[in-house]
Amino acid sequence: MSDKPNLIVDLTFSFSLKIIAFTELLESKRKFNMANQLFRSGTSIGANVREAQGAESKDDFRHKCKVAYKEAEETEYWLSLCKHAESYPFEQTMLDDVQSIIKILGKIISSTKN
């Protein structure tokens, strides 16, 4: 991997760190099922973006970005549930962050078509 800055790689790595901290908060409040779902989808975004950096082809790159996009959509869903469920902690900045990631991934995916 290159030492050159890469916006989506950096954003998704930073977001994964926030997910880790937030899921620890959920666990401290005994919200284990939500913590598990969010941990898996939220950290998977960055893992798939990182994997895309070593893609074997443009199609492979686009496919890995699509998987990251789907994981981001799922993460947005879990965070929205936290927002609307009475007894769950919620951080608006995390929802804003994942929505930004979704937009960026959408642009990357559409710009790699043909």
Side-chain angles (χ1 to χ4, degrees):
M1 206 163 100
S2 162
D3 289 338
K4 219 166 79 172
N6 183 319
L7 174 67
I8 193 63
V9 170
D10 295 343
L11 272 176
T12 56
F13 186 82
S14 173
F15 184 72
S16 291
L17 293 173
K18 291 177 186 177
I19 284 289
I20 291 168
F22 186 67
T23 56
E24 286 175 352
L25 173 65
L26 284 168
E27 287 174 350
S28 76
K29 298 187 178 299
R30 305 187 53 75
K31 309 297 186 190
F32 300 111
N33 291 327
M34 183 66 77
N36 185 43
Q37 292 286 0
L38 254 174
F39 185 89
R40 293 169 67 94
S41 66
T43 58
S44 181
I45 303 165
N48 282 289
V49 165
R50 179 70 68 92
E51 194 176 335
Q53 304 311 300
E56 296 173 13
S57 66
K58 191 174 173 180
D59 285 343
D60 187 36
F61 175 82
R62 186 170 48 250
H63 172 73
K64 286 173 175 45
C65 286
K66 283 182 178 179
V67 172
Y69 182 91
K70 287 159 96 174
E71 294 292 343
E73 290 268 318
E74 180 180 341
T75 301
E76 181 185 35
Y77 175 77
W78 298 125
L79 289 171
S80 293
L81 281 178
C82 287
K83 179 178 183 174
H84 296 285
E86 273 185 40
S87 63
Y88 280 72
F90 173 69
E91 294 177 20
Q92 183 64 47
T93 57
M94 293 193 65
L95 191 56
D96 295 342
D97 288 349
V98 78
Q99 288 168 342
S100 295
I101 289 167
I102 289 167
K103 285 179 187 163
I104 294 166
L105 284 170
K107 284 182 176 30
I108 290 169
I109 292 162
S110 66
S111 71
T112 58
K113 288 183 180 165
N114 299 332

